Amino acid sequence: MAGAVAGCQSHQVASPSAASAAAESAPSAEATKKQRFDQFVRRFQSAIGNAAMDANSDGLTGEVRLVVQIDRSNAVVSCDTHATGLFSANPRLAELSKAACWSAVFPPVPPERLDQDGLKVVAPLIFLSMNERQRLSMQGRYQQSAQARYFAERTLMKSPPYSMGVVTFEYLADKQGKVQECVVNLERHLDRLDAFKYDNALQARLTEQCKHLDLAQMPGFEVDASGVARGTVFFNYSPWMGGGLRGSQAQ
């Protein structure tokens, strides 16, 4: 809420020496801007790094330079990659990295860093080989990523929304993969709290789409001893998740 921080004021009068000490300890405007941008970089790196790592279930190795164009409304309008000199070009790795970029939700760029075209972010992504123990520890994340992709391609990627958030599908299906029940929840994304819009129509549409999915084709589909499949799938959504077709219209 804008202006809320101005509601609490102190009536204590500081001595000149105390005021001077406070002024000296307070960060400068440039230091504050640098701190804000450094925080953006850390959160951006975490978002794209996790998305790319979770999607790399085939253990691809190499390095790409991801170039992300963000417009003045903080919408992703372009995700591109370039090979680097450390490894030979790998088309599959480039495609994986671009898909991870389009599926990620990034924090807003500090306003002072935006020019008339927004901001171009260049992020090196390095994919190293993992030993068997490391790969085994990642299996749960790989499966969640694959299932999220399965749901996304059949629901929100067909018609991306104009808001941002996290969608969760809780399903109950029979052994043939036919959905018996599906509960859909929409929640805010921690990096873009203000971009969330609760949408009853979207929730109803996603619930209906979920009920018509063939989950027998979903990666990792399995039933319990009673022949019933229960599961939860969640993923980020944004106006650009379909590959940027509507990214420029994000609010």
Side-chain angles (χ1 to χ4, degrees), residues 165-201:
V166 179
V167 59
T168 301
F169 295 85
E170 296 183 58
Y171 65 83
L172 180 70
D174 62 21
K175 60 184 179 181
Q176 282 79 36
K178 183 177 181 180
V179 176
Q180 306 296 307
E181 297 179 24
C182 190
V183 176
V184 177
N185 287 305
L186 304 175
E187 298 178 300
R188 288 175 168 82
H189 190 287
L190 291 178
D191 277 329
R192 298 297 290 270
L193 296 173
D194 294 340
F196 176 80
K197 297 177 182 178
Y198 193 79
D199 189 335
N200 284 322

Side-chain angles (χ1 to χ4, degrees), residues 97-119:
S97 300
K98 286 188 283 188
C101 174
W102 287 120
S103 69
V105 169
F106 300 119
V109 180
E112 63 272 10
R113 289 283 180 161
L114 295 168
D115 60 22
Q116 62 179 2
D117 296 320
L119 178 72

Side-chain angles (χ1 to χ4, degrees), residues 40-56 64-68 70 76 78-81 93-107 121-127 138 141 145 189 191 236 240:
F40 162 77
V41 171
R42 288 193 298 271
R43 290 163 65 190
F44 182 97
Q45 289 173 331
S46 177
I48 188 58
N50 285 326
M53 181 170 61
D54 291 349
N56 190 22
V64 296
R65 182 172 287 109
L66 180 66
V67 182
V68 186
I70 300 173
V76 175
S78 175
C79 291
D80 201 2
T81 58
L93 194 58
E95 290 305 310
L96 179 152
S97 300
K98 286 188 283 188
C101 174
W102 287 120
S103 69
V105 169
F106 300 119
V121 182
V122 180
L125 295 178
I126 302 174
F127 299 81
M138 287 289 296
R141 293 175 62 170
S145 178
H189 190 287
D191 277 329
N236 302 328
W240 54 83

Side-chain angles (χ1 to χ4, degrees), residues 56 59-62 87 126-132 134-135:
N56 190 22
L60 302 176
T61 59
F87 299 90
I126 302 174
F127 299 81
L128 302 175
S129 61
M130 293 189 292
N131 59 39
E132 188 62 22
Q134 291 171 322
R135 285 188 59 78

